[in-house]
Amino acid sequence: MRTETLWSIEAPGGIGKLLAFEPTEAEVLAAAPMLALFNNDCHNSSMLTNTQEMTATCIVENYASLRANNGRPFLLEQDGVLMGDADFRNISGSTAEFGILIGSRNQQSRGLGTRYAAMMHVAAFRALGLERVYSSIIPANIASRRMVEKLGYVLDESPFAKTFAEDKDDMVLSLDWPQFQLANAEILSEVTITVRDK
């Protein structure tokens, strides 16, 4: 049974309220079929380098595995509609790796992922106690690289950063709190972080 705090992050969006929240097991079960569809989209699957078709059961198992390994997964909603998911994984001390998926192709490349990612990084630095976050991106995923660079991420070729790369050709970028504050001053006052009732 989970005993740690579950966080909820809210911010206004272009169309409506954006919400990122750490889900309960029941909420993961409810979201899993749609998340499986998002993951199995041909474009999304290639950007995520998925090697097998994802089922709802796979999604539930992945969430359980992520949590068992100290990861912090979040569901992303806009006005109550599931838009995707994101997480901080490979957490070690004050560092972690960040990943995000806006599932519907017609919602991608419209700034939504950047907005959610910015919200989550406010929580990462303020609520989760992280000091530096890494993002590993395949060379073909130009949109993701642009997104994290908008947040303030910079290419990081340090030996530690390279441990986050799944393939030798992957780019690893990193971001710390001062860099994030410089690039995202506006959203800092717009984000509300609260503890969820379990």
Side-chain angles (χ1 to χ4, degrees):
M1 181 173 158
R2 289 174 63 87
T3 57
E4 74 268 19
T5 300
L6 298 181
W7 295 99
S8 177
I9 313 156
E10 291 185 27
I15 300 172
K17 182 179 74 174
L18 303 184
L19 175 66
F21 62 96
E22 290 187 284
T24 63
E25 290 180 11
E27 288 167 334
V28 172
L29 281 169
M34 183 60 71
L35 291 174
L37 289 174
F38 290 161
N39 276 267
N40 291 327
D41 172 87
C42 289
H43 173 79
N44 294 344
S45 182
S46 66
M47 293 298 102
L48 295 168
T49 64
N50 288 343
T51 57
Q52 63 181 24
E53 185 170 336
M54 299 292 285
T55 64
T57 300
C58 291
I59 297 293
V60 172
E61 290 172 352
N62 285 352
Y63 267 68
S65 175
L66 186 60
R67 285 175 165 159
N69 289 288
N70 202 33
R72 306 301 295 251
F74 289 76
L75 294 179
L76 310 176
E77 291 184 353
Q78 182 174 40
D79 288 336
V81 177
L82 183 66
M83 304 303 288
D85 65 353
D87 63 75
F88 294 103
R89 63 184 66 189
N90 298 319
I91 298 174
S92 177
S94 61
T95 65
E97 181 180 6
F98 175 70
I100 186 170
L101 172 65
I102 300 301
S104 176
R105 293 285 290 131
N106 65 7
Q107 295 294 333
Q108 294 174 2
S109 301
R110 298 173 59 185
L112 195 58
T114 304
R115 186 74 171 172
Y116 277 118
M119 292 165 54
M120 291 193 59
H121 281 72
V122 174
F125 294 122
R126 286 185 172 168
L128 300 182
L130 298 178
E131 295 178 6
R132 181 171 291 275
V133 183
Y134 296 83
S135 182
S136 176
I137 299 171
I138 65 171
N141 199 343
I142 296 168
S144 285
R145 180 171 182 174
R146 286 180 184 153
M147 179 193 71
V148 297
E149 287 178 338
K150 286 178 185 175
L151 297 180
Y153 276 81
V154 295
L155 193 63
D156 189 333
E157 297 184 335
S158 68
F160 183 72
K162 290 178 181 179
T163 65
F164 292 96
E166 292 183 16
D167 186 87
K168 63 181 178 62
D169 294 329
D170 289 355
M171 298 171 288
V172 180
L173 300 91
S174 70
L175 173 69
D176 63 17
W177 177 234
Q179 289 169 306
F180 180 78
Q181 288 177 294
L182 283 173
N184 302 277
E186 181 180 331
I187 198 169
L188 294 175
S189 62
E190 297 176 343
V191 172
T192 302
I193 305 169
T194 56
V195 175
R196 297 195 73 200
D197 292 328
K198 297 182 187 177

